[in-house]
Amino acid sequence: QVKPQLEEKEGKTFDVFTAVEFKTQVVAGTNYFIKVHVGNDDFMHLRVFRSLPQENKPLSLHSYQSSKAKHDELAYF
């Protein structure tokens, strides 16, 4: 659901977009920290926010880190 948001921010499309790892953080909703394979040996770390169910809002790409490798630790940011 956040792939189009990332593609818009990066100004490019991703042929490969596969989540390989994730962590969660409960706040007033949930932050998801997701390691995504975007092709070749390239990975990105995404921070996606899911609001509380009663707010009925779509998933939101809060921030991201590019130029990551498969072995890079997925950390809160």
Side-chain angles (χ1 to χ4, degrees), residues 22-65:
F22 78 97
K23 294 181 179 182
T24 60
Q25 176 187 40
V26 177
V27 289
T30 306
N31 282 321
Y32 292 91
F33 298 87
I34 308 167
K35 182 185 293 187
V36 178
H37 179 226
V38 293
N40 300 319
D41 292 329
D42 299 327
F43 289 79
M44 298 182 88
H45 292 183
L46 311 182
R47 179 175 168 187
V48 176
F49 178 72
R50 170 173 269 153
S51 63
L52 295 170
Q54 62 268 27
E55 294 180 10
N56 198 26
K57 294 181 180 176
L59 291 175
S60 170
L61 177 63
H62 186 273
S63 57
Y64 65 95
Q65 298 174 335

